[in-house]
Amino acid sequence: GESVGLHLPTLSVQEGDNSIINCAYSNSASDYFIWYKQESGKGPQFIIDIRSNMDKRQGQRVTVLLNKTVKHLSLQIAATQPGDSAVYFCAVSHSGGGADGLTFGKGTHLIIQP
Amino acid sequence: DVKVTQSSRYLVKRTGEKVFLECVQDMDHENMFWYRQDPGLGLRLIYFSYDVKMKEKGDIPEGYSVSREKKERFSLILESASTNQTSMYLCASSLSSFLNTEAFFGQGTRLTVV
């Protein structure tokens, strides 16, 4: 099966700096990757996704990088703002993996220092 | 926008009670999921369903059952609530088993069993 790990349970950054959150996965057949943001007391919200035929995808202030060789995924947040404070999860799935959906990492809590 | 709605934000139940957690999605998604979320353990899959009246066990089904009588509604049932079922419960839905797409989450139900 798949296992998904995050390197740091907590990351503290200064407001305005860039943040990088990392994730590692185990199954080389994984081909779909998502980052979620979960604010306190709320359900996870989709931020950005990437498929295995790409190695980089950009959204508004966020970039996801995928390195399939080392099975590593990262989320970069540019110019971090107080509203970015949340727990960030990566999630992974693979085609033909069945309806049981995504495997989630445990999350990194991003703390923004003023 | 996809909407996944859980019937309660907060619930307090007594040990031994039968508890129903309801979830409704409005985008005709095939797949629906129930997770529980605990500090340090991340999201763990309890049950999922890929069609009406179909259900499959996830990673931690013990003490739970589910019902999917209509496509848009997926219910989680705690037959006899216990204190170790105190947790945040998250419902999610996704489009199809044949497509890798993101899961959309409800806002969560924080259940306390006393």
Side-chain angles (χ1 to χ4, degrees):
Chain A
E2 175 75 83
S3 68
V4 179
L6 232 48
H7 295 288
L8 286 175
T10 303
L11 177 65
S12 183
V13 299
Q14 293 286 332
E15 183 178 347
D17 286 353
N18 297 336
S19 303
I20 299 175
I21 301 171
N22 296 303
C23 189
Y25 61 97
S26 64
N27 189 346
S28 56
S30 297
D31 57 6
Y32 181 57
F33 309 86
I34 306 177
W35 282 100
Y36 284 92
K37 174 185 180 182
Q38 186 176 21
E39 296 175 278
S40 181
K42 298 183 178 180
Q45 290 181 290
F46 171 87
I47 303 173
I48 191 167
D49 61 0
I50 188 168
R51 298 188 186 274
S52 58
N53 60 350
M54 302 174 70
D55 52 22
K56 180 179 180 179
R57 191 163 186 223
Q58 289 184 284
Q60 189 176 16
R61 283 201 307 116
V62 294
T63 300
V64 55
L65 298 177
L66 176 63
N67 185 331
K68 295 180 288 294
T69 303
V70 295
K71 297 196 281 289
H72 183 271
L73 183 71
S74 68
L75 176 71
Q76 299 178 3
I77 305 173
T80 313
Q81 303 170 357
D84 295 328
S85 181
V87 177
Y88 291 82
F89 297 94
C90 65
V92 176
S93 73
H94 63 278
S95 302
D100 59 334
L102 301 161
T103 301
F104 290 86
K106 289 185 171 49
T108 290
H109 185 191
L110 181 63
I111 298 169
I112 313 302
Q113 305 281 2
Chain B
D1 281 354
V2 174
K3 201 163 190 181
V4 179
T5 304
Q6 295 181 230
S7 53
S8 304
R9 290 294 303 273
Y10 301 95
L11 276 179
V12 180
K13 297 292 182 180
R14 294 192 182 278
T15 301
E17 275 194 79
K18 190 169 186 176
V19 181
F20 293 86
L21 302 183
E22 307 286 347
C23 176
V24 176
Q25 50 94 4
D26 66 358
M27 282 301 290
D28 202 36
H29 282 177
E30 290 183 3
N31 299 335
M32 295 189 75
F33 310 86
W34 276 105
Y35 296 89
R36 64 178 281 178
Q37 184 177 34
D38 301 287
L41 298 177
L43 277 77
R44 293 182 290 169
L45 181 63
I46 305 171
Y47 267 96
F48 64 98
S49 167
Y50 54 88
D51 201 354
V52 176
K53 297 193 185 294
M54 304 303 289
K55 59 185 179 184
E56 295 287 343
K57 292 179 180 179
D59 300 319
I60 51 163
E62 295 79 19
Y64 303 95
S65 62
V66 290
S67 172
R68 194 163 180 203
E69 296 297 316
K70 294 184 178 181
K71 191 174 185 179
E72 67 271 19
R73 187 179 296 271
F74 193 36
S75 302
L76 179 69
I77 303 154
L78 286 67
E79 296 290 342
S80 177
S82 63
T83 55
N84 63 11
Q85 292 178 310
T86 292
S87 186
M88 169 72 98
Y89 289 87
L90 290 163
C91 174
S93 71
S94 68
L95 181 60
S96 166
S97 306
F98 301 101
L99 297 171
N100 271 335
T101 59
E102 70 267 34
F104 294 85
F105 285 86
Q107 77 276 26
T109 297
R110 186 163 293 281
L111 173 67
T112 303
V113 182
V114 297

